[in-house]
Amino acid sequence: MIVLGIETSCDETAAALVTHEKRILSNIVSSQDREHQPFGGVVPEIAARAHLVLIEEIIQKALREADISLNQIDGIAAAGGPGLIGGVIVGVMIAKGLAMAKNLPFIPVNHLEAHALTARLTNEVPFPYLLLLVSGGHCQFLIVEDLGIYTYLGGTLDDAIGECLDKTARLLGYGYPGGPKIERLALEGNPEVFPLPHPLKGKEGCSFSFSGLKTAARKVILENKGTSEHFDANFCASLQKTIGDILEDRCRNALKIALEKKPEISKLVIAGGVAANKYFRTRLENCAAEKAIGLVTPPVNLCTDNGAMIAWAGMERLQKGLTGSLNFAPRPRWPLEELKKKETK
């Protein structure tokens, strides 16, 4: 079986073809970083227009790279939300059109579920497992019990980690996206130079809060920017270590809660764009090892938004007969815990 996956939920236009044997036949991603850099973040209208211009070419390129035609595929999956609604509409409508034209199953995929299931594509992770989903817009712990069954343990009360990194990088004068730039600079800095607050560290539960850290970072930057040639590197190292401290603290609590609920859990999975950060991955690997739990992160190119993750989530659903209706309405909000193991309407 082969599924075509289409991803247009934010600022990557992507398409991929994946088999039921977990082979990625093609995975084409067109980033819009250049279009959004002047604005320091994603502009929804610009993103939607870019998807509309690029999507047909990206799908054709994915088919050519895989050396197959639409007549050889078994289903078409598209990110149906959550995301920027203009972009989500573009992907859903072209997927519906292709499915109707070729009389194929249409599979609307929850973008967050696609991130959650990527580790099953790349690392054979069995259910259940603990998931930390971290990206520019999301930061939450969930128990992934089975396909479509998620138990929410805690998440951010305000900002996500990726948002904190991107906005702080903007204050430093760097373009979008800011997370990779901060990670690179942090390698050259001293993480002990700037003490920063650790919101909720030491508290019960596994919720996050980053708005206070973002405010404190802004104050440090305004007061110290330009005072030393090493400021940027030292500040980035301090910020990264602070976030690592918070992640490790929250992760210990989440593991305790998750293992009490599901003692058979053997893996902690980190998914989403922020999972590409090697420093955070090392900190959480140490944390998981304390509970004799293995840490799994997808390859870096599958941490950020891509079509392969949509195709694989579509494959898992197709194999269980969980296809969707052509009446499906794209959703700007679609919490994972609302998913059910039934047909997506």
Side-chain angles (χ1 to χ4, degrees):
M1 294 178 68
I2 302 173
V3 168
L4 167 65
I6 298 170
E7 161 59 29
T8 57
S9 65
C10 191
D11 60 333
E12 280 90 13
T13 309
L17 290 138
V18 173
T19 75
H20 68 284
E21 298 170 327
K22 303 187 177 183
R23 288 192 299 127
I24 300 174
L25 303 179
S26 63
N27 189 27
I28 308 300
V29 180
S30 178
S31 174
Q32 300 174 14
D33 287 352
R34 184 176 299 176
E35 287 85 348
H36 299 289
Q37 276 180 353
F39 308 98
V42 178
V43 180
E45 179 64 19
I46 292 175
R49 288 176 181 271
H51 290 312
L52 196 58
V53 170
L54 292 168
I55 188 62
E56 183 179 352
E57 175 189 349
I58 295 299
I59 292 172
Q60 290 178 345
K61 188 177 291 188
L63 290 167
R64 285 196 304 270
E65 184 172 298
D67 193 26
I68 65 171
S69 72
L70 285 172
N71 295 326
Q72 295 172 273
I73 68 175
D74 300 280
I76 300 177
L84 302 176
I85 192 60
V88 174
I89 288 172
V90 171
V92 166
M93 294 308 292
I94 195 166
K96 285 183 179 181
L98 290 172
M100 184 181 295
K102 293 296 182 178
N103 194 29
L104 291 168
F106 164 65
I107 312 143
V109 167
N110 182 298
H111 175 85
L112 303 182
E113 180 170 61
H115 276 303
L117 297 176
T118 300
R120 287 175 51 78
L121 167 64
T122 60
N123 296 83
E124 302 282 349
V125 176
F127 296 120
Y129 52 91
L130 176 62
L131 170 70
L132 171 59
L133 181 57
V134 278
S135 67
H138 304 280
C139 185
Q140 54 190 298
F141 282 106
L142 303 112
I143 298 175
V144 183
E145 299 187 40
D146 202 340
L147 180 64
I149 302 178
Y150 301 88
T151 300
Y152 179 83
L153 300 182
T156 183
L157 304 177
D158 37 63
D159 299 332
I161 294 175
E163 182 183 358
C164 178
L165 292 170
D166 285 340
K167 291 188 174 180
T168 302
R170 185 177 181 182
L171 288 169
L172 288 167
Y174 301 118
Y176 172 85
K181 181 65 174 180
I182 287 177
E183 183 180 7
R184 286 194 296 271
L185 282 170
L187 294 173
E188 306 167 8
N190 180 352
E192 306 297 334
V193 173
F194 296 103
L196 293 165
H198 294 67
L200 296 183
K201 183 182 177 185
K203 302 293 184 181
E204 292 185 358
C206 49
S207 295
F208 296 93
S209 173
F210 291 100
S211 62
L213 175 59
K214 191 173 67 176
T215 300
R218 181 178 185 275
K219 185 173 185 293
V220 171
I221 291 169
L222 292 177
E223 291 178 352
N224 296 276
K225 178 70 173 171
T227 59
S228 165
E229 62 176 318
H230 303 295
F231 169 75
D232 286 16
N234 289 336
F235 174 78
C236 289
S238 299
L239 178 66
Q240 185 171 258
K241 179 181 181 299
T242 299
I243 294 175
D245 292 343
I246 296 168
L247 281 172
E248 199 171 288
D249 175 77
R250 302 288 82 195
C251 188
R252 285 195 179 94
N253 287 1
L255 282 167
K256 181 175 183 296
I257 296 168
L259 289 169
E260 287 173 353
K261 292 179 178 291
K262 297 284 181 180
E264 65 270 35
I265 286 174
S266 62
K267 301 294 182 185
L268 166 65
V269 173
I270 316 174
V274 178
N277 183 295
K278 294 179 181 178
Y279 175 79
F280 295 151
R281 287 158 69 167
T282 299
R283 293 289 301 266
L284 291 173
E285 185 174 23
N286 295 336
C287 183
E290 295 173 3
K291 295 287 187 180
I293 296 292
L295 178 75
V296 174
T297 56
V300 171
N301 68 312
L302 296 181
C303 288
T304 52
D305 294 349
N306 63 89
M309 71 181 196
I310 302 298
W312 177 250
M315 180 65 76
E316 291 228 37
R317 289 192 158 267
L318 181 62
Q319 288 179 317
K320 291 184 176 291
L322 304 176
T323 57
S325 164
L326 292 177
N327 293 323
F328 172 84
R331 306 177 185 182
R333 294 182 58 80
W334 194 2
L336 264 179
E337 56 270 26
E338 289 183 5
L339 282 178
K340 304 294 181 185
K341 282 184 68 176
K342 61 182 180 182
E343 181 181 11
T344 305
K345 301 296 185 182

